[in-house]
C-alpha cells in the first residue's frame, strides 16, 4: 500500500471485534484510492486487509455514523457512510454519503454532493433532530471548517453561521465527555501564549 490515510475504528458489538477502516492505494496514482478494512480484538493482531468500499472512483476520508435514535425516521437504515469523492475527471473533491443496515453495509445508492468541491475530512454528529456533517473546506479564497445540516439526509442547509472554531481548524472528531471530564481536560490545557510587550 502506498498511502494509509484517515484511519478510524468502530466497535462491532455483535462480533465483539474492532473494525478499522482507512484510505489506501496500491499505486502512486490517485485514482487507485479506496477504503480498506481490517479487524482486531486486541490491537496486537489484525486480519488481512480487505477492500471495504469501492464504487469505481477514488475515495478517501471515510467516516461512519450509527443512528441510535428510536424516533421514526424517513431513512430506515441505521448506518451512514460519509466520504470524500476524490474523483479527478470530472473533478468532484466533495462530500457524499450512502447508508446501510449494518456496520459493513451493504451500502445503498450514493448521494450527490452535500458540500462544495475542495471539501474533505467529514465528521458526523447528531444534535437534536438534526444531523450535521462538519468538513474541511480547504481551498482559497475561503479555507475554513464548515458544516451542513439535515433532518432527513436529503435536504441540506449550511450550518456555518452556527459554528465557531479556531482559525485553521482542520479534520476533527466528536466524543462525549462528562462535565467532570471536560473540566479536567480544560484544566490541563496550556494557557495561551502572550507576546511580550516592547
Amino acid at each position: 500500500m502506498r498511502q494509509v490515510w484517515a484511519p478510524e475504528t468502530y466497535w462491532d458489538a455483535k462480533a465483539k471485534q474492532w473494525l478499522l477502516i482507512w484510505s489506501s492505494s496500491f499505486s502512486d496514482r490517485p485514482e487507485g484510492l479506496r477504503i480498506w478494512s481490517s479487524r482486531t480484538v486486541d490491537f496486537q493482531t489484525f486480519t488481512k486487509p480487505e477492500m471495504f468500499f469501492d464504487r469505481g472512483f477514488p475515495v478517501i476520508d471515510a467516516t461512519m455514523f450509527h443512528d441510535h435514535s428510536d424516533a421514526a425516521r424517513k431513512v430506515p437504515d441505521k448506518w451512514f457512510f460519509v466520504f470524500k469523492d476524490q474523483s479527478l475527471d470530472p473533478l468532484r473533491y466533495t462530500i457524499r454519503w450512502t447508508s446501510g443496515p449494518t456496520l459493513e453495509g451493504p451500502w445503498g445508492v450514493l448521494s450527490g454532493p452535500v458540500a462544495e468541491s475542495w471539501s474533505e475530512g467529514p465528521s458526523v454528529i447528531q444534535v437534536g433532530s438534526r444531523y450535521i456533517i462538519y468538513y474541511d473546506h480547504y481551498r482559497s479564497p475561503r479555507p475554513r471548517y464548515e458544516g451542513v445540516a439535515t433532518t432527513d439526509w436529503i435536504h441540506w442547509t449550511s450550518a456555518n453561521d452556527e459554528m465557531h472554531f479556531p482559525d485553521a481548524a482542520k479534520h476533527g472528531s466528536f466524543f462525549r465527555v462528562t462535565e467532570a471530564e471536560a473540566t479536567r481536560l480544560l484544566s490541563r490545557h496550556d494557557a495561551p501564549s502572550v507576546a511580550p510587550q516592547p
Side-chain angles (χ1 to χ4, degrees):
M1 291 185 174
R2 299 289 184 174
Q3 304 94 359
V4 178
W5 292 341
E8 295 205 358
T9 59
Y10 298 89
W11 175 245
D12 184 340
K14 186 175 180 180
K16 302 207 178 319
Q17 296 177 327
W18 289 97
L19 172 71
L20 289 74
I21 62 171
W22 68 91
S23 314
S24 280
S25 174
F26 280 95
S27 74
D28 291 328
R29 299 169 63 90
E31 59 268 25
L33 288 160
R34 299 294 187 269
I35 304 302
W36 291 79
S37 69
S38 178
R39 287 179 170 267
T40 183
V41 295
D42 56 9
F43 287 89
Q44 302 294 316
T45 58
F46 299 86
T47 61
K48 182 179 178 180
E50 296 180 353
M51 186 75 70
F52 186 79
F53 183 80
D54 180 4
R55 291 294 177 91
F57 57 85
V59 175
I60 66 169
D61 295 352
T63 191
M64 291 190 282
F65 176 78
H66 188 196
D67 189 354
H68 297 283
S69 172
D70 292 327
R73 295 178 299 120
K74 294 178 181 175
V75 179
D77 305 306
K78 292 289 186 181
W79 285 89
F80 295 91
F81 184 81
V82 183
F83 58 91
K84 179 186 180 186
D85 179 341
Q86 185 86 348
S87 295
L88 289 167
D89 187 13
L91 189 142
R92 291 196 182 98
Y93 279 36
T94 189
I95 309 301
R96 299 174 70 184
W97 66 273
T98 184
S99 59
T102 74
L103 179 64
E104 294 187 291
W107 305 114
V109 175
L110 301 182
S111 77
V114 300
E116 290 182 83
S117 293
W118 305 100
S119 299
E120 65 183 18
S123 293
V124 185
I125 190 170
Q126 184 174 3
V127 179
S129 63
R130 297 195 306 165
Y131 304 89
I132 303 173
I133 297 178
Y134 292 90
Y135 57 88
D136 176 11
H137 183 272
Y138 59 96
R139 189 169 192 191
S140 296
R142 198 190 68 248
R144 65 176 183 170
Y145 212 47
E146 297 187 340
V148 288
T150 185
T151 57
D152 59 10
W153 289 84
I154 298 169
H155 304 94
W156 297 85
T157 58
S158 172
N160 294 343
D161 291 344
E162 305 170 62
M163 297 168 46
H164 304 284
F165 288 99
D167 289 342
K170 303 299 282 180
H171 302 207
S173 296
F174 301 96
F175 62 97
R176 187 182 303 275
V177 297
T178 65
E179 287 291 332
E181 289 169 327
T183 299
R184 195 162 53 249
L185 288 168
L186 289 170
S187 71
R188 295 295 302 271
H189 194 280
D190 293 339
S193 59
V194 178
Q197 297 298 316

